[in-house]
Amino acid sequence: MRRAVCPGSYDPATNGHLDIIERAANLFDEVVVAVLINKSKRGMFTIDERLELLRESTKGLSNVRIDSWHGLLTDYCRDNGIQSIVKGLRSVSDFDYELQMAQMNREISGVETLLMSNNPAYSFLSSSLVKEVATYGGDVTTMVSPYVHERLLAKLAEQD
Ligand code: PNS
């Protein structure tokens, strides 16, 4: 069984994330999308909400499962029989940090990282920018799945 993890904050998942998850699902027998919990970073969505958004947005992908984890990503990989980490690269500015993490993760565990080039249509996307644009009334319909869009608008309405 060839298993990979797509880790991230997913606050919330964007179409850029979903593109990488779908392409990883074509390459591996199973892909686990892991929401990494960072207690020092308060997000817009709770961890349970992020999991639900991901479950709903990936429900057409039969070999994808959604999970959360607090701690080292490589410990999660060890405990779940995962040999590879898959991340998307939007631009050269992502590269330095991703390379550093890939090398660190390999050094401490032997787990390999595959850096997949993002679909250029999504290279400007980030969860933070999507939230910021949506907060000020900008249109983000093409940037997130319909379900995430609906939940994002509902969350912003709650905050008003
Ligand atoms: O979506 P993000 O915030 O860019 O994802 C970064 C993430 C969560 C993948 C990264 O910070 C991570 O792997 N955190 C888990 C803790 C860990 O293993 N840190 C050592 C990284 S070398």
Side-chain angles (χ1 to χ4, degrees):
M1 178 76 124
R2 299 184 79 81
R3 243 185 235 116
V5 63
C6 291
S9 306
Y10 299 108
D11 184 39
T14 67
N15 285 343
H17 291 126
L18 298 177
D19 174 59
I20 295 294
I21 293 166
E22 189 175 339
R23 285 160 58 201
N26 288 332
L27 296 174
F28 290 87
D29 298 316
E30 184 179 63
V31 170
V32 185
V33 180
V35 176
L36 269 294
I37 303 169
N38 180 346
K39 286 192 174 141
S40 63
K41 224 164 108 182
R42 209 182 111 72
M44 174 182 268
F45 291 95
T46 66
I47 299 301
D48 284 345
E49 287 169 337
R50 294 179 212 183
L51 293 172
E52 196 230 333
L53 293 178
L54 279 163
R55 275 195 197 103
E56 191 61 31
S57 304
T58 60
K59 65 182 178 196
L61 303 170
S62 58
N63 61 337
V64 170
R65 76 184 164 83
I66 313 297
D67 200 4
S68 61
W69 175 252
H70 174 56
L72 277 182
L73 177 59
T74 50
D75 286 346
Y76 182 82
C77 293
R78 182 200 57 215
D79 294 353
N80 290 275
I82 292 171
Q83 307 89 354
S84 313
I85 298 166
V86 175
K87 305 286 277 302
L89 269 188
R90 286 168 299 195
S91 62
V92 282
S93 59
D94 279 346
F95 182 74
D96 284 348
Y97 187 48
E98 291 299 343
L99 179 65
Q100 191 181 10
M101 283 198 287
Q103 289 170 330
M104 175 61 89
N105 283 330
R106 186 160 185 272
E107 178 69 22
I108 61 178
S109 69
V111 174
E112 298 283 3
T113 298
L114 303 178
L115 298 176
M116 206 182 253
S117 60
N118 258 69
N119 180 336
Y122 302 132
S123 47
F124 62 94
L125 275 190
S126 71
S127 300
S128 340
L129 274 185
V130 165
K131 282 183 287 190
E132 186 173 325
V133 170
T135 300
Y136 295 111
D139 182 6
V140 296
T141 37
T142 58
M143 303 173 198
V144 291
S145 70
Y147 188 70
V148 171
H149 189 247
E150 185 188 310
R151 301 301 308 144
L152 183 56
L153 295 189
K155 179 66 83 176
L156 291 171
E158 262 170 41
Q159 289 174 350
D160 276 344

CSV table of all heavy atoms in Angstrom, one decimal, residues 88-125:
chain,number,residue,atom,x,y,z
A,88,GLY,N,2.2,21.2,-2.4
A,88,GLY,CA,2.1,22.0,-3.6
A,88,GLY,C,3.1,23.1,-3.6
A,88,GLY,O,3.3,23.7,-2.5
A,89,LEU,N,3.7,23.5,-4.7
A,89,LEU,CA,4.6,24.6,-4.8
A,89,LEU,C,4.0,25.6,-5.7
A,89,LEU,O,3.7,25.4,-6.9
A,89,LEU,CB,5.9,24.2,-5.5
A,89,LEU,CG,7.1,23.7,-4.7
A,89,LEU,CD1,8.3,23.6,-5.6
A,89,LEU,CD2,7.4,24.7,-3.5
A,90,ARG,N,3.7,26.8,-5.2
A,90,ARG,CA,3.0,27.9,-6.0
A,90,ARG,C,4.0,28.7,-6.8
A,90,ARG,O,3.8,29.1,-7.9
A,90,ARG,CB,2.2,28.8,-5.1
A,90,ARG,CG,0.9,28.2,-4.6
A,90,ARG,CD,0.3,29.0,-3.5
A,90,ARG,NE,1.2,29.1,-2.4
A,90,ARG,CZ,0.9,29.5,-1.2
A,90,ARG,NH1,-0.4,29.9,-0.9
A,90,ARG,NH2,1.8,29.6,-0.2
A,91,SER,N,5.2,29.0,-6.1
A,91,SER,CA,6.1,29.9,-6.7
A,91,SER,C,7.5,29.6,-6.1
A,91,SER,O,7.6,28.9,-5.1
A,91,SER,CB,5.7,31.3,-6.5
A,91,SER,OG,5.7,31.5,-5.1
A,92,VAL,N,8.5,30.3,-6.6
A,92,VAL,CA,9.8,30.2,-6.0
A,92,VAL,C,9.9,30.6,-4.6
A,92,VAL,O,10.6,30.1,-3.8
A,92,VAL,CB,10.9,30.9,-6.8
A,92,VAL,CG1,11.3,30.2,-8.0
A,92,VAL,CG2,10.6,32.3,-7.1
A,93,SER,N,8.9,31.5,-4.2
A,93,SER,CA,9.0,32.0,-2.8
A,93,SER,C,8.5,30.9,-1.9
A,93,SER,O,8.9,30.9,-0.7
A,93,SER,CB,8.1,33.2,-2.6
A,93,SER,OG,6.8,33.0,-3.0
A,94,ASP,N,7.8,29.9,-2.3
A,94,ASP,CA,7.4,28.7,-1.5
A,94,ASP,C,8.6,27.8,-1.3
A,94,ASP,O,8.7,27.0,-0.4
A,94,ASP,CB,6.3,27.9,-2.1
A,94,ASP,CG,4.9,28.5,-1.9
A,94,ASP,OD1,4.8,29.3,-1.1
A,94,ASP,OD2,4.0,28.0,-2.6
A,95,PHE,N,9.5,27.8,-2.4
A,95,PHE,CA,10.5,26.8,-2.5
A,95,PHE,C,11.5,26.7,-1.3
A,95,PHE,O,11.7,25.6,-0.8
A,95,PHE,CB,11.2,26.9,-3.8
A,95,PHE,CG,12.2,25.8,-4.1
A,95,PHE,CD1,11.8,24.5,-4.4
A,95,PHE,CD2,13.6,26.0,-3.9
A,95,PHE,CE1,12.7,23.5,-4.6
A,95,PHE,CE2,14.5,25.0,-4.1
A,95,PHE,CZ,14.1,23.8,-4.4
A,96,ASP,N,12.0,27.8,-0.9
A,96,ASP,CA,13.1,27.8,0.1
A,96,ASP,C,12.6,27.1,1.4
A,96,ASP,O,13.2,26.2,1.9
A,96,ASP,CB,13.5,29.2,0.5
A,96,ASP,CG,14.4,29.8,-0.6
A,96,ASP,OD1,14.9,29.0,-1.4
A,96,ASP,OD2,14.6,31.0,-0.5
A,97,TYR,N,11.4,27.5,1.8
A,97,TYR,CA,10.8,27.0,3.1
A,97,TYR,C,10.4,25.5,2.9
A,97,TYR,O,10.7,24.7,3.8
A,97,TYR,CB,9.6,27.8,3.5
A,97,TYR,CG,9.1,27.5,4.8
A,97,TYR,CD1,9.9,27.3,6.0
A,97,TYR,CD2,7.7,27.3,5.0
A,97,TYR,CE1,9.4,27.0,7.2
A,97,TYR,CE2,7.2,27.0,6.3
A,97,TYR,CZ,8.0,26.8,7.3
A,97,TYR,OH,7.5,26.5,8.6
A,98,GLU,N,9.8,25.2,1.8
A,98,GLU,CA,9.4,23.8,1.5
A,98,GLU,C,10.6,22.9,1.5
A,98,GLU,O,10.6,21.7,2.0
A,98,GLU,CB,8.6,23.7,0.3
A,98,GLU,CG,7.2,24.4,0.4
A,98,GLU,CD,6.3,23.8,1.4
A,98,GLU,OE1,6.5,22.7,1.9
A,98,GLU,OE2,5.3,24.5,1.8
A,99,LEU,N,11.7,23.3,0.8
A,99,LEU,CA,12.9,22.5,0.7
A,99,LEU,C,13.5,22.3,2.1
A,99,LEU,O,13.9,21.2,2.4
A,99,LEU,CB,13.9,23.2,-0.2
A,99,LEU,CG,15.2,22.5,-0.4
A,99,LEU,CD1,15.0,21.1,-1.1
A,99,LEU,CD2,16.3,23.3,-1.1
A,100,GLN,N,13.5,23.4,2.9
A,100,GLN,CA,14.1,23.2,4.2
A,100,GLN,C,13.3,22.2,5.1
A,100,GLN,O,13.9,21.3,5.7
A,100,GLN,CB,14.0,24.6,4.9
A,100,GLN,CG,14.8,24.7,6.2
A,100,GLN,CD,14.7,26.1,6.8
A,100,GLN,OE1,13.9,26.9,6.4
A,100,GLN,NE2,15.5,26.3,7.8
A,101,MET,N,11.9,22.3,5.0
A,101,MET,CA,11.1,21.3,5.7
A,101,MET,C,11.3,19.9,5.2
A,101,MET,O,11.4,19.0,6.0
A,101,MET,CB,9.6,21.7,5.7
A,101,MET,CG,9.3,22.9,6.6
A,101,MET,SD,7.6,23.0,7.0
A,101,MET,CE,7.0,23.7,5.4
A,102,ALA,N,11.4,19.8,3.9
A,102,ALA,CA,11.6,18.5,3.3
A,102,ALA,C,12.9,17.8,3.7
A,102,ALA,O,12.9,16.6,4.1
A,102,ALA,CB,11.6,18.6,1.7
A,103,GLN,N,13.9,18.7,3.8
A,103,GLN,CA,15.2,18.1,4.2
A,103,GLN,C,15.2,17.8,5.7
A,103,GLN,O,15.8,16.7,6.1
A,103,GLN,CB,16.3,19.2,3.9
A,103,GLN,CG,16.6,19.3,2.4
A,103,GLN,CD,17.5,20.4,2.0
A,103,GLN,OE1,17.5,21.5,2.7
A,103,GLN,NE2,18.2,20.3,0.9
A,104,MET,N,14.6,18.6,6.5
A,104,MET,CA,14.5,18.4,7.9
A,104,MET,C,13.7,17.1,8.2
A,104,MET,O,14.1,16.2,8.9
A,104,MET,CB,13.8,19.5,8.6
A,104,MET,CG,13.6,19.3,10.1
A,104,MET,SD,15.1,19.0,11.1
A,104,MET,CE,15.5,20.7,11.5
A,105,ASN,N,12.6,16.9,7.5
A,105,ASN,CA,11.7,15.7,7.7
A,105,ASN,C,12.5,14.5,7.3
A,105,ASN,O,12.3,13.4,7.9
A,105,ASN,CB,10.4,15.9,7.0
A,105,ASN,CG,9.4,16.8,7.7
A,105,ASN,OD1,9.5,16.9,8.9
A,105,ASN,ND2,8.6,17.6,7.0
A,106,ARG,N,13.2,14.6,6.2
A,106,ARG,CA,14.0,13.4,5.8
A,106,ARG,C,15.1,13.1,6.7
A,106,ARG,O,15.3,11.9,7.1
A,106,ARG,CB,14.5,13.7,4.4
A,106,ARG,CG,15.2,12.4,3.8
A,106,ARG,CD,15.3,12.5,2.3
A,106,ARG,NE,15.8,11.3,1.7
A,106,ARG,CZ,17.1,11.1,1.6
A,106,ARG,NH1,18.0,11.9,1.9
A,106,ARG,NH2,17.5,9.9,1.1
A,107,GLU,N,15.7,14.1,7.2
A,107,GLU,CA,16.8,13.9,8.2
A,107,GLU,C,16.4,13.2,9.5
A,107,GLU,O,17.0,12.3,10.0
A,107,GLU,CB,17.4,15.3,8.6
A,107,GLU,CG,18.5,15.3,9.6
A,107,GLU,CD,19.8,14.6,9.0
A,107,GLU,OE1,20.0,14.6,7.8
A,107,GLU,OE2,20.6,14.2,9.9
A,108,ILE,N,15.2,13.6,10.0
A,108,ILE,CA,14.8,13.1,11.3
A,108,ILE,C,14.0,11.8,11.1
A,108,ILE,O,13.8,11.1,12.1
A,108,ILE,CB,13.9,14.1,12.1
A,108,ILE,CG1,12.6,14.5,11.4
A,108,ILE,CG2,14.8,15.3,12.5
A,108,ILE,CD1,11.8,15.5,12.2
A,109,SER,N,13.6,11.4,9.9
A,109,SER,CA,12.7,10.2,9.8
A,109,SER,C,12.9,9.4,8.6
A,109,SER,O,12.4,8.2,8.5
A,109,SER,CB,11.2,10.7,9.8
A,109,SER,OG,11.0,11.4,8.6
A,110,GLY,N,13.5,9.9,7.5
A,110,GLY,CA,13.7,9.2,6.3
A,110,GLY,C,12.4,9.3,5.4
A,110,GLY,O,12.4,8.9,4.3
A,111,VAL,N,11.4,10.0,5.9
A,111,VAL,CA,10.2,10.2,5.0
A,111,VAL,C,10.5,11.2,3.9
A,111,VAL,O,11.1,12.2,4.1
A,111,VAL,CB,9.0,10.8,5.9
A,111,VAL,CG1,7.8,11.1,5.0
A,111,VAL,CG2,8.6,9.7,6.9
A,112,GLU,N,10.1,10.8,2.7
A,112,GLU,CA,10.4,11.6,1.5
A,112,GLU,C,9.3,12.6,1.3
A,112,GLU,O,8.1,12.4,1.6
A,112,GLU,CB,10.5,10.7,0.2
A,112,GLU,CG,11.6,9.7,0.3
A,112,GLU,CD,12.9,10.2,0.0
A,112,GLU,OE1,13.1,11.5,-0.2
A,112,GLU,OE2,13.9,9.5,-0.1
A,113,THR,N,9.7,13.8,0.7
A,113,THR,CA,8.7,14.8,0.3
A,113,THR,C,8.6,15.0,-1.2
A,113,THR,O,9.7,15.1,-1.8
A,113,THR,CB,9.0,16.1,1.0
A,113,THR,OG1,8.9,16.0,2.4
A,113,THR,CG2,8.0,17.2,0.6
A,114,LEU,N,7.4,15.0,-1.7
A,114,LEU,CA,7.3,15.3,-3.2
A,114,LEU,C,6.7,16.6,-3.3
A,114,LEU,O,5.6,16.9,-2.7
A,114,LEU,CB,6.4,14.2,-3.8
A,114,LEU,CG,6.8,12.8,-3.7
A,114,LEU,CD1,5.7,11.9,-4.3
A,114,LEU,CD2,8.1,12.6,-4.3
A,115,LEU,N,7.4,17.6,-3.9
A,115,LEU,CA,6.9,18.9,-4.1
A,115,LEU,C,6.3,19.0,-5.5
A,115,LEU,O,7.0,18.8,-6.5
A,115,LEU,CB,8.0,19.9,-4.0
A,115,LEU,CG,8.7,20.0,-2.6
A,115,LEU,CD1,9.8,20.9,-2.6
A,115,LEU,CD2,7.7,20.3,-1.5
A,116,MET,N,5.0,19.2,-5.6
A,116,MET,CA,4.3,19.1,-6.8
A,116,MET,C,4.0,20.5,-7.3
A,116,MET,O,3.5,21.4,-6.5
A,116,MET,CB,2.9,18.4,-6.5
A,116,MET,CG,2.3,17.7,-7.7
A,116,MET,SD,0.8,17.0,-7.2
A,116,MET,CE,1.2,15.3,-7.1
A,117,SER,N,4.2,20.8,-8.6
A,117,SER,CA,4.0,22.1,-9.1
A,117,SER,C,2.5,22.4,-9.1
A,117,SER,O,1.7,21.5,-9.6
A,117,SER,CB,4.6,22.3,-10.5
A,117,SER,OG,4.0,21.4,-11.4
A,118,ASN,N,2.1,23.5,-8.6
A,118,ASN,CA,0.7,23.9,-8.6
A,118,ASN,C,0.2,24.2,-10.0
A,118,ASN,O,0.9,24.6,-10.8
A,118,ASN,CB,0.5,25.2,-7.8
A,118,ASN,CG,0.0,25.0,-6.4
A,118,ASN,OD1,0.7,24.4,-5.6
A,118,ASN,ND2,-1.2,25.3,-6.1
A,119,ASN,N,-1.1,24.0,-10.1
A,119,ASN,CA,-1.8,24.4,-11.3
A,119,ASN,C,-1.6,26.0,-11.4
A,119,ASN,O,-2.0,26.6,-10.4
A,119,ASN,CB,-3.3,24.1,-11.2
A,119,ASN,CG,-4.1,24.5,-12.4
A,119,ASN,OD1,-3.7,25.5,-13.1
A,119,ASN,ND2,-5.2,23.9,-12.6
A,120,PRO,N,-1.0,26.5,-12.5
A,120,PRO,CA,-0.8,28.0,-12.5
A,120,PRO,C,-2.0,28.8,-12.3
A,120,PRO,O,-2.0,29.9,-11.8
A,120,PRO,CB,-0.2,28.2,-13.9
A,120,PRO,CG,0.1,26.9,-14.5
A,120,PRO,CD,-0.6,25.9,-13.7
A,121,ALA,N,-3.2,28.2,-12.6
A,121,ALA,CA,-4.4,29.0,-12.4
A,121,ALA,C,-4.7,29.3,-10.9
A,121,ALA,O,-5.4,30.2,-10.6
A,121,ALA,CB,-5.6,28.1,-12.9
A,122,TYR,N,-4.0,28.6,-10.0
A,122,TYR,CA,-4.2,28.8,-8.6
A,122,TYR,C,-2.9,29.3,-7.9
A,122,TYR,O,-2.8,29.3,-6.7
A,122,TYR,CB,-4.5,27.4,-7.9
A,122,TYR,CG,-5.8,26.8,-8.5
A,122,TYR,CD1,-5.8,25.4,-8.8
A,122,TYR,CD2,-7.0,27.5,-8.7
A,122,TYR,CE1,-6.9,24.8,-9.4
A,122,TYR,CE2,-8.1,26.9,-9.2
A,122,TYR,CZ,-8.1,25.6,-9.5
A,122,TYR,OH,-9.2,25.0,-10.0
A,123,SER,N,-1.9,29.8,-8.7
A,123,SER,CA,-0.6,30.1,-8.0
A,123,SER,C,-0.7,31.3,-7.1
A,123,SER,O,0.1,31.5,-6.2
A,123,SER,CB,0.5,30.2,-9.0
A,123,SER,OG,0.1,31.0,-10.1
A,124,PHE,N,-1.7,32.1,-7.3
A,124,PHE,CA,-1.9,33.3,-6.4
A,124,PHE,C,-2.7,33.0,-5.2
A,124,PHE,O,-2.9,33.9,-4.3
A,124,PHE,CB,-2.5,34.5,-7.2
A,124,PHE,CG,-3.9,34.1,-7.7
A,124,PHE,CD1,-5.0,34.5,-7.0
A,124,PHE,CD2,-4.1,33.4,-8.9
A,124,PHE,CE1,-6.3,34.1,-7.4
A,124,PHE,CE2,-5.3,33.0,-9.3
A,124,PHE,CZ,-6.4,33.4,-8.5
A,125,LEU,N,-3.2,31.8,-5.1
A,125,LEU,CA,-4.2,31.5,-4.0
A,125,LEU,C,-3.5,31.1,-2.7
A,125,LEU,O,-2.5,30.4,-2.6
A,125,LEU,CB,-5.0,30.3,-4.4
A,125,LEU,CG,-6.2,30.5,-5.2
A,125,LEU,CD1,-7.1,29.2,-5.3
A,125,LEU,CD2,-7.1,31.6,-4.6
